[in-house]
């Protein structure tokens, strides 16, 4: 495909370079939406500024505009701005400082409770919700919605970081948020105005040969070579950012080594069952 670089979109081209650092894919065109998507970075340093009036409603409108499996709309969101509640949630999520700094903390709830309650009110069973499939469906829909909100907030000059750490103590988080049974805080999202004195950079991703296959999946020399190249590129990024320099394969390997690397989340199935999820 031809690359079409508009003079006004040179930043998108530069940002693609940062995303891949070599092996930049041949994209069909660059436009403002692609520029925004390619420019994503997690933001963990915010200005101590209140966010504009109506921001939560705007982000939720973007989230609700995402596709929804069978239009079940099986998620909810809890917007937390109260400093004390944010501090308690930050403590439950591994004491992540950026949660305290962010003026807004959104908790994305996989919510099977609403349809269960509606079934009960109508005197009809909602037995499908007790199956693992419904949990997966809910997790997919919740993530699609949240990502729409992230794109929206980035388009408004805000920044955010997802917080999976909120799953370290799901029962305590559910109690803090007053969640009913069959409602689970899947992840958090810390939102704020990025502090320009502590900027975040675009983090390189795996080369496309490693993740993109045509017609059939492949796992061979090309993928191994791509991963080796990525280790080098990520090390360069880490060194520029003053981060510990570590191969991606080592980093990712440590994160998936075993239950001890899961920050207490290895017991999630039991906790979810106690929170009312069937997972059959
Ligand atoms: C579901 C999810 C959970 C995450 N949880 C955390 C978290 O608890 N703390 C954190 O600092 N970053 C968290 N992140 C951010 C990732 O570390 C980040 O997206 C990744 O390193 C890539 O960096 P980038 O977003 O800047 O491109 C999470 C990301 C996702 C998608």
């Amino acid at each position: 495909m031809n690359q079409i670089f508009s003079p006004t979109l040179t930043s998108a081209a530069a940002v693609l370079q940062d995303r891949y650092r070599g092996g930049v894919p041949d994209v069909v065109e660059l436009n403002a939406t692609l520029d925004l998507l390619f420019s994503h970075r997690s933001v963990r340093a915010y200005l101590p500024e209140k966010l504009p009036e109506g921001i939560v409603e705007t982000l939720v409108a973007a989230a609700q505009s995402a596709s929804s499996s069978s239009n079940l709309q099986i998620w909810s969101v809890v917007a937390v701005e109260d400093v004390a509640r944010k501090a308690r949630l930050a403590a439950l999520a591994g004491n992540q400082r950026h949660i305290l700094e962010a003026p807004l903390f959104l908790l994305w709830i996989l919510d099977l409770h609403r349809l269960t309650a509606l079934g009960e009110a109508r005197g009809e069973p909602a037995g499908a919700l007790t199956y693992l499939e419904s949990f997966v469906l809910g997790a997919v829909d919740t993530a699609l919605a949240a990502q729409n909100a992230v794109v929206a907030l980035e388009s408004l000059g805000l920044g955010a970081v997802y917080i999976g750490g909120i799953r370290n103590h799901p029962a305590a988080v559910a109690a803090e948020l007053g969640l009913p049974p069959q409602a689970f805080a899947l992840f958090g999202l810390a939102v704020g105005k990025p502090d320009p004195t502590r900027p975040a950079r675009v983090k390189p991703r795996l080369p496309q040969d490693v993740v993109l296959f045509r017609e059939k999946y492949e796992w061979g020399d090309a993928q191994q070579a791509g991963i080796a190249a990525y280790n080098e590129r990520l090390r360069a990024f880490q060194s520029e950012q003053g981060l510990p320099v570590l191969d991606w394969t080592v980093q990712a390997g440590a994160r998936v080594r075993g239950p001890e690397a899961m920050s207490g989340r290895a017991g999630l199935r039991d906790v979810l069952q106690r929170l009312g999820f069937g997972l059959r």
Side-chain angles (χ1 to χ4, degrees), residues 51 76 99 133 141 149 154 157 159 164 194 207 213 217 232 244 267 274:
L51 297 179
S76 298
I99 302 175
E133 159 59 16
D141 276 26
E154 289 177 347
F213 308 111
Y217 192 94
E232 287 303 309
R274 285 201 293 280

Side-chain angles (χ1 to χ4, degrees), residues 64 68 71-77 109-122 126 129 142 180-183:
Q64 290 190 286
S68 162
N71 199 27
L72 293 180
Q73 306 180 60
I74 215 156
W75 57 270
S76 298
V77 60
I109 313 299
L110 190 169
D111 186 355
L112 305 187
H113 174 263
R114 185 162 46 234
L115 288 177
T116 302
L118 290 174
E120 279 166 9
R122 289 159 52 86
L129 297 175
T142 308
Q182 291 180 282

Side-chain angles (χ1 to χ4, degrees), residues 90-101:
L92 292 170
N95 287 312
Q96 300 196 45
R97 190 185 42 78
H98 30 277
I99 302 175
L100 302 176
E101 234 184 73

Side-chain angles (χ1 to χ4, degrees), residues 8-234:
T8 54
L9 289 165
T10 46
S11 74
V15 101
L16 260 186
Q17 185 57 47
D18 286 350
R19 181 66 74 205
Y20 290 101
R21 298 188 172 220
V24 174
D26 210 4
V27 296
V28 277
E29 84 168 56
L30 293 172
N31 59 38
T33 305
L34 292 173
D35 187 2
L36 183 72
L37 292 171
F38 297 158
S39 302
H40 161 78
R41 64 215 64 190
S42 290
V43 171
R44 299 180 177 84
Y46 314 98
L47 294 174
E49 275 182 21
K50 255 185 86 71
L51 297 179
E53 204 60 39
I55 190 68
V56 172
E57 291 79 357
T58 307
L59 300 185
V60 172
Q64 290 190 286
S65 300
S67 292
S68 162
S69 307
S70 304
N71 199 27
L72 293 180
Q73 306 180 60
I74 215 156
W75 57 270
S76 298
V77 60
V78 180
V80 172
E81 293 174 279
D82 179 76
V83 172
R85 175 163 293 113
K86 241 180 333 119
R88 289 193 295 274
L89 290 168
L92 292 170
N95 287 312
Q96 300 196 45
R97 190 185 42 78
H98 30 277
I99 302 175
L100 302 176
E101 234 184 73
L104 174 65
F105 190 38
L106 297 176
L107 284 306
W108 295 89
I109 313 299
L110 190 169
D111 186 355
L112 305 187
H113 174 263
R114 185 162 46 234
L115 288 177
T116 302
L118 290 174
E120 279 166 9
R122 289 159 52 86
E124 284 178 2
L129 297 175
T130 65
Y131 285 82
L132 177 62
E133 159 59 16
S134 293
F135 189 85
V136 171
L137 182 157
V140 170
D141 276 26
T142 308
L144 295 179
Q147 182 58 24
N148 254 22
V150 168
V151 173
L153 71 87
E154 289 177 347
S155 80
L156 296 167
L158 300 177
V161 61
Y162 284 104
I163 303 293
I166 209 69
R167 292 194 303 278
N168 293 0
H169 299 285
V173 169
E176 179 64 46
L177 300 176
L179 299 184
Q182 291 180 282
F184 168 55
L186 192 60
F187 46 75
L189 188 70
V191 183
K193 188 131 198 257
D195 179 349
T197 67
R198 295 175 290 163
R201 277 207 67 183
V202 165
K203 191 184 274 187
R205 292 293 196 264
L206 289 165
Q208 291 204 349
D209 312 3
V210 180
V211 302
L212 166 65
F213 308 111
R214 307 247 177 222
E215 313 303 337
K216 288 188 89 167
Y217 192 94
E218 271 179 58
W219 177 246
D221 291 349
Q223 287 68 42
Q224 298 289 2
I227 290 167
Y230 183 60
N231 277 334
E232 287 303 309
R233 291 169 192 162
L234 197 65

